[in-house]
Amino acid sequence: MQGLLSCYLWIPAKINSMPNFTVFCTALFLSVQISFAQAPKKSSSSDIYHSLQKLNFLGSALYIAAHPDDENTRLISYLSNHDKARTGYLSLTRGDGGQNLIGPELRELLGVLRTQELLAARRIDGGQQFFTRANDFGYSKHPDETLEIWNKKEVLGDVVRVIRKFKPDVIINRFDHRSPGSTHGHHTSSAMLSFEAFDLVNDPNAYSEQLGQLQTWQPKRLFFNTSWWFYGSQEKFEKADKSKLLDFDVGVFYPTLGVSNNEIASLASSQHLCQGFGRLSTRGSQEEYVELLKGEMPNDKDNIFDGINTKWSRVEGGQEIGEILYGVEKEFDFSNPSKHLPKLLEAHKLISSLKDEHWRTIKLQEIEDLILAASGLYLEVSASESYSNPGGRIGLNIELLNRSSANVFMEKLVLSSGTVFDSVIPLKQNQKIQLEKEIQIPMETAFTSPYWLVEKGSLGMYKVADPKFIGKPETPRALHASFNLDIDSYKLSINLPIIHRYARPDKGQLYQPFEILPEATARFDDKVLIFADGEPKQIPITIKAHKDDLKGEVQFCYSKGWVVDVETKPFEIAKKGDEQIIMFTLTPPANQDESYITPIVKVNGKQISKELVTIVYDHVPTQSILLPSEAKVVRLNIERLGENIGYIMGAGDDVPTSLEQIGYNVVRVEPMDIQAGSLNKFDAVVVGIRAYNVVEELKFKQRYLLDYVKDGGNLIVQYNTAGRWDKQFENISPYPLKLSRDRVTDENSEVSIIAKKHALVNFPNAIEEKDFEGWVQERGLYFPNEWSSEFTPILSMSDKGESSKKGSLLVAPYGKGNYIYTGLSFFRELPAGVSGAYKLFANMLSLGKEKVENPIDVKG
C-alpha cells in the first residue's frame, strides 16, 4: 500500500456476511475509491487474504516508461495481483509538458497533479511509483535531443539508483530501444536508458557515489512490452518469430476480489483524468506480450518469474517464516481473520531478525499492515486544522479502537515533536478511546512542498539537493505519530503521519494531508503583466495569513528602468486563512522591456518570497505547493483594433486572461448559447485549444461559427488533434483542411515569413523574424499538411533535418470575413509573456480592419 492510504486501516475483525456480499462490497469499494482517494482504506477479509498472499511472494518487477499514462496498467495489475509480485512503475518524467483537460494547472503544477494521479492509479492496481529528475520539456522527435536536454548522465544515474533501491528481478520496458526517431524521443530514451542501466546497476564503478546507502544489484531479465502494433499489423505479428516472447492472459478474474484484472486496470488508468483517460471498464481474455532483451529466458513461458526463487527460502532464516505464513494462508479464516494474529506476531518477530535488510524492511511493513488489519485496530492522529507553521501550536485528536478479542495496550505515543502520552492505556474490544493534546511544531520543521520544486531547475532537469529524495514520488510528511503497542504481550511500533479529518455538509467526511506552511505567503494574481503603453498600472499583491494576528510589511522588488510609487507597505491580518490586498503603482520604462517583479513579506524578522498554490480535486489528495512568488512585466509597443472578443474554451488555457492584458474585452462564450447572429457583436471569435476534441456541443454549432465568418466576422481556431473527434467535426473549416501530426518542437527553430505582404504580418503590427525569439517549449503542433487553394500559408518552419512545415498559420477569406487556423502554441507563449506572440495574435484579431488609406495585400 502506498501514500496516504497506507496510514489508515479500518478492518472488521469478524465478518459474518455471506461471501457474495463480501465480493460485492470489494468491487463497490474499488469504484468508490476513485471519488474519495483521500479517505482511509477499508479492507474486507478478502483484501486481508490478498495481502497475505503478497506477503508470501518474494519477487519484484519494475515497469519503465517516460510519462504518466505510458504505463500498462493491465500488466502492472497482473504482476501485482495475479503473480502477487512487488511491482513498481518508474516514470522518467512527471508529465509536466502536456495539457490539462480538467483545470488550469500547466508545467510544474501539472507535474504535481499527474504525480498524484499516478499514485491514485497505483493505489488501485497495487503498484508502487517512482520518478527520475527528468523534466518533461514537451514533445521530442529524437532521443538524441531528449538526452541532451535531460542530461543523459544524470537521468541514467537516477534509473540506476531506482533499480538498485527497488532490486527488481524483472524489468519491463514499455518502449523499444531499437527504434530511435520513430516515436516520441522521451519514449525511446526511457527504453535506451533502461537497457543500459540493466548492466550498470551491478558495476561498482558505475555511479559509485550511490554505494554505501545502496548496493549493486543484478536483475535477472529485461523485457520489452511488445504487441502487434510494433510489428506494423496483426498479420505481420502472426508471422513473426515468437521464440523470445512470453504471453500472458491479463484478463483473468480474481474471485476473492470480485473483479477481473482488466477491470482493475481500467479503474487505475481512469485516474489520469487531466489527460482525458477516464474510460469504461473492460472484461474478458486479453493477451499481453513481452520480448526478452537480456538475461535468462524462463523455461515456463507462462511464468515471468520462472527459475527465480520467490519463496521465503530466498532469504537466510526465511524457511521458518514461510512455514508459519504459508500455513496461515492455507488455513485462512475469512469469517475471523483475527484468529491468525498469534501466528502473524510470531512471523513478525522472525522477520525482524532477518539479516537481509532489503527484504526485512519490505516485509516488516507488509506484515505490520496485515497485523493491524487482522486485529481490527484503528489508529489515527487528526490535527484540528489542515496546516500550521514551524513553532506554531496545533490541537490533535487521537483515536484508538481495538475490534478484536486480542489483549491490546498502547504503552506510549511519540510524535515527531516528542512524547505525547507515556502511560499504559488498555484498548478493550470495540471500546473507542479518544485523546486530545495540543503540541508545538518544532521550529526546524520543513515547509510542505514537492521536493523537486524547492530549487529552480533547468529546461530538462529538476534540481534535488538531497539524493535520498531522488526517485520518490512525493515529499515524505513532516510530522508522524509512533504508536508503541503491546498486542498479546508482543511489542509493536506503528508509525503513521498526522492527517486532518473534517466534514462538509455537501460532501460528508473528508481527509486532507496535514501541511507545514510559512506564516504568510504573497502572490501576484497575474503572472504576466503587459504594459501596452507608458501608462502606470495598479499592481495588487495578495498577502495570505497562515496564522492569527499577523503583522508585517511587504516590499515590492523591481528592476532598473521601472518605477514604483512606494517600495514598502505595512499589512495586518487578524485571522488565519484570510487575505489582504496591498496596491502598488508600477510605471514602465519608455522603451520595450521585459523584467520580473517579486514581493518579499517581512514578518517577525523573517523574509518570505513564496506563494502558495493549492491543487484540489476529488480523485487525488489536496496538494500544497510553495513556489517563488514573481510576475513577468513586459513593456510592449503593440497596436490593436477591435474591442470585444468572444472566446470558446476548449481543453483549458489562459489565453483569455492574456488578451485582457492588452486591453481586449474578452467574453467567454458557452457553446450551448451560440445561435444565429449571437456572435455578430464580437470583433473576433477565438476557439480554444482542442475545442473540437473535447466540446461535443460544437458539432451542433459549427454552422453558426461559419455563418459568423461569412457575415464579416474574424474566426481564429487554435490547434486540435487529428482523429480525436466525432466524425461530424471533419469539416471544421469552410474549405478542405486536413490536420496532421506535423509539429515543430524546437522553440528556437528558424521561422520564415513567406507571405510578407499579407495583412497578418503587417497590420497593425509589423511582424519580423525576431518576433519569434524567446518562445517557450515549442513552436507549435498538429499543423495541417493539406489545404485548399483558398488558404494562404503565412509562415514556414521546421525542426533540424526535416522539411519545411507551412501549415502553422493558415488564413482564408470566407464571405465578408476571415477564417484562421493556427497550430502555433499561443496557449504557451501568451501566458509566458512572449512579446512577438502578443503582436502576432493582435494582428489575427485585427484582420479585416486594415485602413483603406494604407492598403495591404490581404492574400500576400
Side-chain angles (χ1 to χ4, degrees):
M1 290 184 289
Q2 285 231 3
L4 187 63
L5 298 189
S6 66
C7 309
Y8 311 91
L9 296 110
W10 180 92
I11 314 295
K14 296 185 179 182
I15 297 180
N16 298 316
S17 306
M18 296 299 292
N20 286 342
F21 180 74
T22 302
V23 169
F24 171 76
C25 287
T26 303
L28 179 64
F29 167 70
L30 283 171
S31 63
V32 171
Q33 185 83 334
I34 296 175
S35 298
F36 300 98
Q38 296 171 228
K41 182 179 179 181
K42 298 175 175 64
S43 300
S44 68
S45 291
S46 295
D47 296 321
I48 298 173
Y49 179 70
H50 189 62
S51 297
L52 176 61
Q53 290 179 306
K54 298 185 77 169
L55 176 65
N56 281 336
F57 190 91
L58 279 71
S60 303
L62 182 65
Y63 199 88
I64 298 180
H67 309 107
D69 87 359
D70 284 345
E71 83 272 29
N72 184 339
T73 55
R74 294 184 302 272
L75 193 50
I76 290 175
S77 178
Y78 180 86
L79 292 168
S80 176
N81 297 300
H82 177 272
D83 290 350
K84 309 299 188 296
R86 178 171 163 265
T87 307
Y89 173 45
L90 171 57
S91 176
L92 267 61
T93 77
R94 297 176 186 266
D96 326 70
Q99 284 85 54
N100 185 355
L101 297 185
I102 62 173
E105 295 85 9
L106 290 174
R107 289 304 309 151
E108 66 272 7
L109 296 179
L110 180 60
V112 174
L113 174 56
R114 290 188 172 179
T115 294
Q116 292 301 317
E117 289 186 335
L118 276 172
L119 288 171
R122 299 294 80 79
R123 284 192 286 269
I124 290 173
D125 61 32
Q128 299 180 41
Q129 186 62 50
F130 305 98
F131 295 95
T132 73
R133 290 170 290 170
N135 189 347
D136 178 3
F137 55 85
Y139 191 86
S140 175
K141 294 180 178 178
H142 200 280
D144 288 349
E145 176 198 37
T146 298
L147 295 174
E148 181 179 350
I149 295 175
W150 273 356
N151 186 330
K152 176 187 174 182
K153 181 180 179 181
E154 291 187 1
V155 180
L156 177 59
D158 290 356
V159 176
V160 169
R161 179 184 292 274
V162 170
I163 295 174
R164 283 174 171 170
K165 186 170 184 178
F166 190 69
K167 293 189 175 181
D169 301 299
V170 173
I171 296 176
I172 304 174
N173 292 343
R174 182 68 183 99
F175 300 105
D176 190 353
H177 71 286
R178 299 161 294 194
S179 56
S182 64
T183 183
H184 196 326
H186 295 183
H187 292 170
T188 310
S189 294
S190 70
M192 293 169 65
L193 293 173
S194 174
F195 190 83
E196 188 172 350
F198 185 85
D199 297 317
L200 289 179
V201 292
N202 200 33
D203 182 354
N205 296 315
Y207 300 98
S208 57
E209 72 279 2
Q210 298 177 4
L211 302 178
Q213 289 186 335
L214 302 174
Q215 298 174 331
T216 57
W217 175 250
Q218 184 55 64
K220 299 295 190 298
R221 294 162 189 150
L222 174 66
F223 293 95
F224 160 44
N225 184 194
T226 189
S227 71
W228 68 263
W229 187 86
F230 290 96
Y231 288 77
S233 69
Q234 291 182 334
E235 292 76 17
K236 290 181 180 179
F237 181 64
E238 290 298 323
K239 298 176 183 178
D241 177 13
K242 298 183 177 63
S243 60
K244 289 191 174 183
L245 298 189
L246 305 182
D247 68 285
F248 314 102
D249 181 1
V250 297
V252 294
F253 178 69
Y254 303 124
T256 57
L257 297 180
V259 289
S260 68
N261 189 74
N262 282 344
E263 287 175 294
I264 294 174
S266 297
L267 288 171
S269 63
S270 289
Q271 300 310 295
H272 298 299
L273 296 182
C274 74
Q275 300 187 72
F277 268 47
R279 60 189 178 97
L280 289 171
S281 62
T282 59
R283 287 155 290 280
S285 180
Q286 184 170 357
E287 295 293 311
E288 280 289 343
Y289 296 87
V290 294
E291 175 192 356
L292 182 70
L293 300 177
K294 289 185 177 183
E296 311 161 351
M297 188 70 174
N299 293 322
D300 180 0
K301 291 194 173 184
D302 292 327
N303 179 11
I304 201 169
F305 289 97
D306 181 50
I308 300 170
N309 186 358
T310 59
K311 297 186 177 297
W312 276 104
S313 58
R314 176 174 189 159
V315 295
E316 182 182 348
Q319 190 74 35
E320 186 178 357
I321 299 169
E323 291 175 1
I324 297 170
L325 293 178
Y326 295 139
V328 173
E329 182 179 340
K330 184 178 180 180
E331 304 295 333
F332 188 77
D333 189 339
F334 284 85
S335 66
N336 183 16
S338 64
K339 167 184 173 181
H340 305 291
L341 192 56
K343 291 293 185 182
L344 294 176
L345 294 173
E346 184 181 350
H348 183 280
K349 182 177 181 180
L350 293 173
I351 294 172
S352 301
S353 301
L354 286 177
K355 294 180 180 179
D356 188 319
E357 181 182 0
H358 174 71
W359 284 111
R360 183 178 72 240
T361 302
I362 293 166
K363 294 304 177 181
L364 274 178
Q365 183 61 59
E366 290 181 6
I367 198 168
E368 285 170 6
D369 291 342
L370 200 57
I371 288 168
L372 288 180
S375 63
L377 271 172
Y378 186 92
L379 307 173
E380 178 184 279
V381 179
S382 175
S384 56
E385 297 181 74
S386 62
Y387 63 88
S388 187
N389 328 113
R393 302 193 70 83
I394 192 78
L396 300 178
N397 180 68
I398 301 153
E399 182 175 337
L400 306 98
L401 182 61
N402 169 27
R403 286 167 289 195
S404 75
S405 59
N407 294 314
V408 182
F409 300 87
M410 186 186 79
E411 297 187 328
K412 183 187 293 186
L413 177 60
V414 181
L415 300 181
S416 307
S417 57
T419 300
V420 176
F421 292 100
D422 194 9
S423 57
V424 176
I425 301 175
L427 306 183
K428 297 179 181 179
Q429 185 172 7
N430 212 33
Q431 299 297 309
K432 182 173 68 174
I433 292 178
Q434 284 191 287
L435 307 171
E436 292 184 355
K437 184 74 173 181
E438 184 180 82
I439 64 165
Q440 184 170 20
I441 309 296
M443 285 298 299
E444 65 275 11
T445 306
F447 298 141
T448 300
S449 198
Y451 69 84
W452 63 94
L453 298 179
V454 171
E455 297 186 54
K456 188 175 180 63
S458 64
L459 173 64
M461 295 292 294
Y462 282 118
K463 188 174 181 180
V464 179
D466 191 340
K468 74 172 181 289
F469 286 134
I470 296 174
K472 291 182 180 296
E474 56 185 345
T475 308
R477 292 291 154 191
L479 294 184
H480 287 73
S482 181
F483 293 86
N484 293 347
L485 303 174
D486 181 308
I487 304 177
D488 286 338
S489 300
Y490 183 78
K491 310 298 182 183
L492 190 66
S493 181
I494 302 298
N495 195 45
L496 304 175
I498 296 173
I499 53 86
H500 174 57
R501 179 164 62 100
Y502 64 107
R504 276 178 45 180
D506 59 334
K507 290 193 176 183
Q509 180 174 266
L510 297 171
Y511 291 79
Q512 191 171 333
F514 178 70
E515 316 280 35
I516 304 298
L517 301 177
E519 294 176 339
T521 51
R523 71 176 188 273
F524 296 108
D525 287 335
D526 294 319
K527 302 308 176 189
V528 174
L529 296 159
I530 304 296
F531 291 75
D533 52 40
E535 293 299 312
K537 284 189 176 184
Q538 292 287 299
I539 310 297
I541 296 177
T542 302
I543 312 296
K544 185 164 187 174
H546 304 298
K547 62 173 294 187
D548 290 335
D549 300 320
L550 186 71
K551 295 180 181 179
E553 60 182 18
V554 58
Q555 180 180 349
F556 193 108
C557 300
Y558 57 97
S559 298
K560 183 179 180 181
W562 297 75
V563 179
V564 175
D565 57 342
V566 179
E567 291 190 7
T568 302
K569 293 186 178 182
F571 65 86
E572 185 173 340
I573 305 174
K575 292 295 184 181
K576 179 179 182 177
D578 200 1
E579 296 181 339
Q580 183 177 344
I581 297 175
I582 309 295
M583 302 298 297
F584 292 84
T585 302
L586 181 64
T587 303
N591 300 318
Q592 191 158 306
D593 185 77
E594 294 185 5
S595 185
Y596 288 88
I597 54 176
T598 302
I600 297 180
V601 178
K602 300 178 180 180
V603 178
N604 297 327
K606 305 170 189 172
Q607 294 190 357
I608 305 163
S609 58
K610 298 285 188 181
E611 70 168 308
L612 173 67
V613 180
T614 304
I615 298 177
V616 182
Y617 293 100
D618 282 344
H619 67 301
V620 297
T622 300
Q623 297 297 296
S624 297
I625 304 103
L626 293 171
L627 296 175
S629 184
E630 63 180 16
K632 185 177 183 179
V633 287
V634 180
R635 171 65 172 98
L636 177 61
N637 294 317
I638 188 171
E639 299 290 338
R640 62 177 181 82
L641 274 78
E643 295 292 334
N644 299 312
I645 306 299
Y647 202 96
I648 302 170
M649 294 299 295
D653 60 66
D654 208 25
V655 171
T657 301
S658 300
L659 298 180
E660 290 168 348
Q661 287 272 357
I662 56 175
Y664 284 107
N665 173 39
V666 182
V667 178
R668 273 71 163 178
V669 177
E670 294 296 333
M672 65 181 66
D673 296 332
I674 299 175
Q675 300 295 334
S678 65
L679 301 176
N680 292 342
K681 59 187 175 183
F682 297 116
D683 295 296
V685 172
V686 183
V687 181
I689 61 171
R690 297 183 64 184
Y692 290 101
N693 299 132
V694 300
V695 183
E696 188 175 1
E697 182 75 14
L698 277 181
K699 68 185 177 184
F700 306 115
K701 306 297 183 177
Q702 181 67 6
R703 57 184 174 133
Y704 299 126
L705 291 175
L706 296 182
D707 285 346
Y708 163 75
V709 180
K710 200 172 186 178
D711 292 340
N714 191 7
L715 179 66
I716 301 168
V717 177
Q718 297 180 85
Y719 95 92
N720 287 267
T721 54
R724 295 186 180 180
W725 49 30
D726 190 292
K727 287 187 177 181
Q728 295 187 50
F729 280 145
E730 292 295 331
N731 298 316
I732 64 170
S733 106
Y735 308 113
L737 182 73
K738 182 179 179 181
L739 302 187
S740 73
R741 298 184 66 86
D742 286 352
R743 63 205 300 161
V744 176
T745 61
D746 182 359
E747 64 271 29
N748 299 311
S749 63
E750 183 178 350
V751 177
S752 298
I753 300 174
I754 56 177
K756 294 184 181 295
K757 294 183 179 180
H758 199 288
L760 202 52
V761 290
N762 288 282
F763 181 84
N765 303 286
I767 304 298
E768 301 172 331
E769 275 80 2
K770 68 179 182 179
D771 287 308
F772 294 93
E773 296 174 0
W775 284 49
V776 298
Q777 188 160 326
E778 62 196 357
R779 291 295 188 196
L781 63 171
Y782 294 103
F783 298 163
N785 62 354
E786 294 180 22
W787 51 85
S788 67
S789 60
E790 287 83 0
F791 282 102
T792 299
I794 305 298
L795 306 172
S796 174
M797 59 188 69
S798 67
D799 280 322
K800 184 179 179 180
E802 295 188 353
S803 60
S804 294
K805 306 292 188 293
K806 298 181 180 181
S808 64
L809 182 56
L810 302 172
V811 188
Y814 180 62
K816 299 178 183 178
N818 293 283
Y819 177 94
I820 301 173
Y821 186 91
T822 178
L824 293 172
S825 296
F826 288 107
F827 72 100
R828 298 193 191 281
E829 312 312 321
L830 298 185
V834 177
S835 300
Y838 273 93
K839 292 168 64 178
L840 183 56
F841 211 100
N843 282 12
M844 292 194 299
L845 296 172
S846 304
L847 190 61
K849 299 177 176 61
E850 302 84 61
K851 297 178 182 178
V852 176
E853 62 270 21
N854 184 25
I856 296 171
D857 185 353
V858 174
K859 289 198 68 177

